[in-house]
Amino acid sequence: MSTAEADDAGPTVADLGEEGLLAAIAPLLPQATRVLVPSGDDSAVVAAPDGRYCISTDVLVEGEHFRPDWSTGRDVGARAAAQNLADIAAMGARPTALVVSLVLPRATPVAWVQDLARGFADACVGTDAGVVGGDLSVGERVVVAVTVHGDLGGRQPVLRSGARPGDVVVHVGTLGRSAAGLALLQAGLDDRADVWGEAVDAARAGLASECLRIYRAPAPPLAAGPALADAGAGAMLDVSDGLLRDADRIARASGIVVDIADPDDDPDTGQAHDLAALEPIARLLREEAAAARSLARAWVLTGGEDHGLLATLPAAAGRLPEGARVVGAVRARCEGEPAGALIGGRVPDQLGWDHFRA
Amino acid sequence: MSTAEADDAGPTVADLGEEGLLAAIAPLLPQATRVLVPSGDDSAVVAAPDGRYCISTDVLVEGEHFRPDWSTGRDVGARAAAQNLADIAAMGARPTALVVSLVLPRATPVAWVQDLARGFADACVGTDAGVVGGDLSVGERVVVAVTVHGDLGGRQPVLRSGARPGDVVVHVGTLGRSAAGLALLQAGLDDRADVWGEAVDAARAGLASECLRIYRAPAPPLAAGPALADAGAGAMLDVSDGLLRDADRIARASGIVVDIADPDDDPDTGQAHDLAALEPIARLLREEAAAARSLARAWVLTGGEDHGLLATLPAAAGRLPEGARVVGAVRARCEGEPAGALIGGRVPDQLGWDHFRA
């Protein structure tokens, strides 16, 4: 269902009007446990028991971040929520409250917006977070702008700037799945479309579906954020623009070098496992084995939007938190060397994604 | 300058890329005094000294809420910030922190975005609020989605539901100026364009410019929010969709009747003064006196977006806070009568603005 086509899709947002639309989606939105004044007044009021709160914001734009023929409303809602929730986890905090500004074409089916609300609820399962407010507006394309809030529970926030020489670099979550899912869709390989069954053998269907699922609605390891903070993480962020680009951000903020292990050199790293997992998917798009491996390597090292957590931990931290896999190491800069990320000790050809230049 | 035309307007956002654009606007944004971790990490961290915080969000869409040929980037920034700051004041709180999600066409001049940042700074003058984070994305039309936060300073939040029979209804700020300014622009009467000098006599130019200024960048009476709360306000909101529609919201949330005085009946009310002020402007658009008065009346009673504060106060509250003008009274519902707003004791023909149906 397209957001802009209302044929047989029931009433549109223009049919219901602003208050009618709000009434149609409000019961579907996730409820926040920390809210003192809920949605419906000029502002919501949320509890901040330790006297501080985290804020982050992220926006999804139809045609730029998602295509309505590839993603349902539910996918878009889950993705918009998940990428915001990951930013809170990456501080070592727990998400508490979201507000959502929606820009919708007048012809958008109400059912699509209800699906979007269900996606928000999906992403908030297992958390205390809920939607405490929002704004509805009309426009030519769908825009979903989310602001998320979190509670540090007395922890110090884990910034990007706290990486120290000798730290290990760990990652929790998946790498490259979202980029692989997008590449499958761009090649016409959609598990929700008829073309799928003919083009993909059964053995790879599950793997490919996992990539498509993560592209459409990533599932960041939210609980790992506070766990990594408690384990002594010096620096942390969620991988939204690719492992190398986001490692580079930690490196530059911390004034050190992050050396990401090359998966061709070290088969025991997290990225080597992800690369091995994604090679069969890349073979769906590249017949030649070397070309397929190169494509999978690009997904793992420079593909963003799986929203796993990348953190640095003191080498003496002991047992890694659940799900954490070593992906590299932190070292001091040599004389004259700039801060930044390396891959296998070398300066990478490209880091990843810049939305404005694409 | 249009947002979409880059001729002779210097570099575009596509020329600079995301990080370059951020560097170009960051120094121009207002600084928040309560921020513990500023913009630049996954989340900002803001202090909440009384253990609670207010959140509200509002979005502006190019072509729906503003036209780049009528409003500069600075106007749009100031308006986006002001309408959000007003939501915090309407709870009886002081604004502390804003986050801004910007969707920009790739051809947008960087100078336009810098102007937008200056507009945010304009709107935050005299407050402790600043921009603590944001997101930049590309899209076909400019979208400015703002989330604002506030500090209640130990006060109880003033909801919409606290109006009681016997209360007086007061308003602080202007009524109808924004609607009048929009009508002037729709008629081609723009004080920034050449047409202006020929069409408008000198006596009315100042009045008209005030309306255009408030349309482009409203200046809500932010300090009046906490002052009205301290004076005992039972219910409060900012007038974003028109006096009658927003009075109706208080009435329905509180289960009472808000009777707004008809400016034709009572020349001592705030709305009567605003009507008298706007009649000369309406005469620029309607030759006939009765038609002009009718137009000005519609602006005052149903025009939104001046973002003044509408509040109910106990009749025994004594001296009104500075700038507050009586606009009506609260009474209990008669048997079988629905909660709602009346105008001069009668059910109004229309309440005001619905963005989705317009």
Side-chain angles (χ1 to χ4, degrees):
Chain A
M1 173 166 45
S2 159
T3 57
E5 288 165 18
D7 303 347
D8 304 324
T12 67
V13 301
D15 294 332
L16 258 66
E18 187 167 350
E19 296 195 13
L21 179 60
L22 193 58
I25 62 175
L28 305 173
L29 291 168
Q31 300 299 306
T33 61
R34 288 286 179 80
V35 69
L36 305 173
V37 174
S39 180
D41 222 287
D42 297 277
S43 303
V45 182
V46 175
D50 84 351
R52 303 168 300 170
Y53 56 103
C54 298
I55 316 173
S56 187
T57 192
D58 254 326
V59 66
L60 290 182
V61 180
E62 177 185 350
E64 297 289 337
H65 300 98
F66 69 92
R67 282 174 47 165
D69 53 334
W70 287 350
S71 296
T72 65
R74 193 158 183 161
D75 294 331
V76 173
R79 179 171 166 194
Q83 69 180 25
N84 274 279
L85 295 167
D87 281 320
I88 295 301
M91 299 297 279
R94 293 184 198 283
T96 51
L98 301 100
V99 293
V100 185
S101 275
L102 280 183
V103 178
L104 301 168
R106 288 189 173 82
T108 308
V110 170
W112 192 92
V113 191
Q114 291 180 308
D115 241 21
L116 188 87
R118 291 187 186 98
F120 273 91
D122 293 343
C124 290
V125 165
T127 75
D128 291 330
V131 174
V132 303
D135 190 27
L136 296 168
S137 181
V138 290
E140 286 178 24
R141 295 293 184 94
V142 174
V143 176
V144 185
V146 178
T147 304
V148 65
H149 304 81
D151 172 31
L152 285 159
R155 290 179 202 88
Q156 283 303 305
V158 183
L159 308 184
R160 298 174 175 193
S161 52
R164 298 287 170 263
D167 287 352
V168 295
V169 183
V170 302
H171 181 268
V172 183
T174 57
L175 289 166
R177 301 296 196 284
S178 176
L182 175 59
L184 288 170
L185 289 169
Q186 286 170 333
L189 298 175
D190 184 344
D191 59 349
R192 292 176 181 167
D194 286 343
V195 65
W196 181 250
E198 298 158 27
V200 179
D201 61 272
R204 281 180 284 192
L207 275 171
S209 284
E210 186 203 353
C211 294
L212 291 163
R213 184 171 49 75
I214 290 175
Y215 165 73
R216 288 173 167 134
L222 299 176
L228 285 161
D230 292 341
M236 181 157 52
L237 49 59
D238 74 295
V239 178
S240 51
D241 294 328
L243 178 62
L244 290 179
R245 180 174 291 277
D246 287 315
D248 193 65
R249 292 194 167 118
I250 287 179
R252 286 185 290 130
S254 302
I256 46 78
V257 170
V258 172
D259 193 0
I260 299 294
D262 191 318
D264 288 339
D265 299 340
D266 187 345
D268 282 337
T269 57
Q271 60 272 41
H273 290 138
D274 280 318
L275 173 52
L278 289 176
E279 276 192 78
I281 303 302
R283 287 300 291 271
L284 294 170
L285 306 174
R286 298 280 185 280
E287 282 189 33
E288 205 259 311
R293 184 165 173 91
S294 174
L295 179 62
R297 183 181 159 92
W299 290 340
V300 169
L301 296 179
T302 64
E305 307 202 330
D306 282 40
H307 296 288
L309 295 174
L310 184 68
T312 63
L313 288 171
R319 207 165 65 89
L320 296 180
E322 191 182 333
R325 304 175 305 170
V326 174
V327 295
V330 179
R331 67 163 171 80
R333 288 180 290 138
C334 301
E335 191 170 321
E337 183 185 30
L342 304 178
I343 173 73
R346 299 175 304 278
V347 176
D349 296 334
Q350 62 168 354
L351 288 172
W353 185 250
D354 185 322
H355 294 281
F356 279 83
R357 293 176 191 273
Chain B
M1 172 168 46
S2 160
T3 56
E5 288 167 18
D7 302 347
D8 304 324
T12 66
V13 301
D15 294 332
L16 258 66
E18 188 167 350
E19 295 194 13
L21 179 61
L22 194 57
I25 62 175
L28 305 172
L29 291 168
Q31 300 299 307
T33 61
R34 290 284 178 81
V35 70
L36 304 173
V37 175
S39 180
D41 223 288
D42 297 278
S43 303
V45 182
V46 175
D50 84 351
R52 304 168 298 170
Y53 56 102
C54 298
I55 318 173
S56 186
T57 193
D58 253 327
V59 66
L60 290 182
V61 180
E62 177 184 350
E64 297 289 337
H65 300 98
F66 69 90
R67 282 175 47 165
D69 53 335
W70 287 351
S71 296
T72 64
R74 192 157 183 160
D75 294 331
V76 174
R79 180 171 164 193
Q83 69 181 23
N84 275 279
L85 295 168
D87 281 319
I88 295 300
M91 299 298 278
R94 294 184 198 284
T96 51
L98 301 99
V99 293
V100 185
S101 276
L102 280 183
V103 178
L104 300 168
R106 288 189 173 83
T108 308
V110 171
W112 191 91
V113 191
Q114 290 180 309
D115 241 21
L116 187 88
R118 291 186 186 98
F120 273 91
D122 293 344
C124 290
V125 166
T127 75
D128 291 330
V131 173
V132 302
D135 190 28
L136 295 168
S137 182
V138 290
E140 287 179 23
R141 295 293 184 94
V142 174
V143 176
V144 185
V146 178
T147 304
V148 64
H149 304 81
D151 172 31
L152 285 159
R155 290 179 201 86
Q156 283 302 306
V158 184
L159 308 185
R160 299 175 174 191
S161 52
R164 297 289 170 260
D167 287 353
V168 294
V169 184
V170 302
H171 180 268
V172 183
T174 58
L175 288 166
R177 300 295 195 286
S178 176
L182 176 59
L184 288 169
L185 290 169
Q186 286 170 332
L189 299 175
D190 184 344
D191 60 350
R192 292 175 181 166
D194 288 341
V195 65
W196 180 249
E198 298 158 27
V200 178
D201 61 273
R204 281 179 283 190
L207 274 171
S209 283
E210 187 202 353
C211 294
L212 290 163
R213 185 172 47 76
I214 290 175
Y215 165 72
R216 288 172 166 135
L222 299 176
L228 285 162
D230 291 341
M236 182 156 52
L237 49 60
D238 74 296
V239 178
S240 53
D241 294 328
L243 178 62
L244 291 180
R245 180 174 291 276
D246 285 316
D248 193 65
R249 292 193 167 120
I250 286 179
R252 284 185 290 130
S254 301
I256 47 77
V257 170
V258 172
D259 193 0
I260 298 294
D262 191 317
D264 290 338
D265 298 340
D266 187 345
D268 283 338
T269 56
Q271 60 273 42
H273 291 137
D274 280 317
L275 174 53
L278 289 176
E279 275 191 79
I281 303 303
R283 288 300 290 273
L284 294 170
L285 305 174
R286 298 281 186 280
E287 282 190 33
E288 205 260 310
R293 184 167 174 89
S294 175
L295 179 61
R297 182 181 159 92
W299 290 338
V300 168
L301 296 178
T302 63
E305 305 202 334
D306 282 41
H307 296 289
L309 295 174
L310 184 67
T312 63
L313 289 171
R319 206 165 65 88
L320 295 179
E322 192 182 331
R325 304 175 306 171
V326 173
V327 294
V330 179
R331 67 164 171 79
R333 287 181 290 138
C334 301
E335 190 170 322
E337 184 184 30
L342 304 178
I343 173 71
R346 298 175 305 278
V347 176
D349 296 335
Q350 60 169 355
L351 289 173
W353 186 249
D354 185 322
H355 295 281
F356 279 84
R357 294 177 192 272

